[in-house]
Amino acid sequence: AGLWAACSLTRAGILLASGLRLHGIWKRATPVDDRSMPLVDVGPRKVRLCTSHDVDRPSVIGFFSPRILIPHDLFENLTASELEQIVLHEMGHLRRRDDWMNLAQKLGLVVFPLNPALAWIERRLCLERELACDDDVLRLTRAPKAYARCLTNLAEQRLERRVATLSLGAWERRSELDQRIHSILRGGKGMGRAQTHIAMSALVLALLGGAAELARCPRVISFANAAPVS
């Protein structure tokens, strides 16, 4: 119980610190002309396209007023086609409510920090979300080779910035990028929004069922009161 509490509090602290840091990045972002954004229905939320000096890759942050952030130096070197593909990908996350789903996954890890299956499923769902948004871009642009080239160029520019700062994280998620590019070129499909919701629902039910069964299990070792010595 002590180990579970320590790990849960640690994850909660990391999640809270990450949220505060992202809020600061959201406030410091510089809005750009929204006319460069393609039209994608994301519901009632107003989406802004911004540049930022605080991120090293295109990202989307904000739950109620989301902003698509593109590194400032990268934004200046993007072609119109590459910018459209990047924005379509990030808008796909918002249309699918992936930001809220990602928050639910992180909260699940806070509550069940010692569950290795949950950690593996969380990483897998993150990859499936990226593949699903890649499919959205391909469906709208019909240009798989151009999109694969765009992702490769983004990875190269990000790698150059990481190498310049001697960061040990320069190679992080390289295997994920490989899977995404191979999936794009072979026309593979990622997990859809309905499939993602089903997977998360099944995961939550399995965790609750496991917790209930563990609570009902008899204790392996019990100690009876010693009989009084006469």
Side-chain angles (χ1 to χ4, degrees):
L3 178 61
W4 170 83
C7 292
S8 183
L9 289 175
T10 299
R11 284 190 177 273
I14 293 174
L15 184 61
L16 178 60
S18 178
L20 294 175
R21 182 176 63 86
L22 289 178
H23 180 67
I25 294 175
W26 184 93
K27 293 180 64 176
R28 291 190 297 270
T30 303
V32 299
D33 188 1
D34 287 346
R35 289 177 297 177
S36 58
M37 294 180 60
L39 297 177
V40 178
D41 183 17
V42 294
R45 295 188 291 178
K46 174 63 176 177
V47 185
R48 297 297 302 273
L49 178 63
C50 306
T51 61
S52 174
H53 295 280
D54 299 315
V55 297
D56 63 349
R57 60 179 175 179
S59 309
V60 56
I61 62 174
F63 294 102
F64 301 103
S65 299
R67 291 185 170 184
I68 296 176
L69 304 185
I70 299 180
H72 183 76
D73 54 346
L74 175 63
F75 181 80
E76 296 177 345
N77 298 321
L78 287 175
T79 65
S81 175
E82 289 174 338
L83 178 61
E84 179 187 17
Q85 291 167 342
I86 292 172
V87 172
L88 285 174
H89 179 94
E90 301 303 336
M91 295 284 275
H93 283 303
L94 295 174
R95 182 178 58 81
R96 292 160 43 87
R97 300 289 194 275
D98 285 340
D99 47 350
W100 289 102
M101 185 63 66
N102 184 60
L103 177 61
Q105 292 174 211
K106 297 301 186 289
L107 292 176
L109 290 175
V110 170
V111 179
F112 302 99
L114 302 178
N115 191 323
L118 181 61
W120 180 86
I121 292 175
E122 197 270 341
R123 288 194 299 269
R124 183 64 191 180
L125 285 176
C126 290
L127 174 60
E128 290 294 341
R129 280 201 298 266
E130 297 300 325
L131 294 175
C133 290
D134 289 341
D135 291 341
D136 290 341
V137 177
L138 296 178
R139 187 178 66 255
L140 294 171
T141 63
R142 305 291 183 181
K145 292 184 179 180
Y147 184 50
R149 190 180 305 112
C150 174
L151 291 181
T152 304
N153 292 337
L154 291 178
E156 289 176 352
Q157 295 183 44
R158 185 186 180 201
L159 179 59
E160 290 174 359
R161 291 193 294 273
R162 287 293 185 90
V163 171
T165 58
L166 297 179
S167 171
L168 294 178
W171 298 101
E172 68 178 356
R173 296 189 179 277
R174 183 179 61 174
S175 60
E176 176 182 309
L177 177 63
D178 292 341
Q179 293 180 57
R180 290 176 62 187
I181 292 178
H182 290 164
S183 177
I184 290 169
L185 294 179
R186 67 171 180 262
K189 298 294 183 181
M191 184 183 295
R193 180 171 59 179
Q195 294 173 309
T196 303
H197 290 171
I198 292 174
M200 283 297 297
S201 300
L203 175 62
V204 171
L205 291 176
L207 291 173
L208 293 177
E213 288 299 321
L214 287 175
R216 295 173 54 188
C217 289
R219 288 176 293 178
V220 177
I221 300 175
S222 61
F223 298 91
N225 294 329
V229 179
S230 56

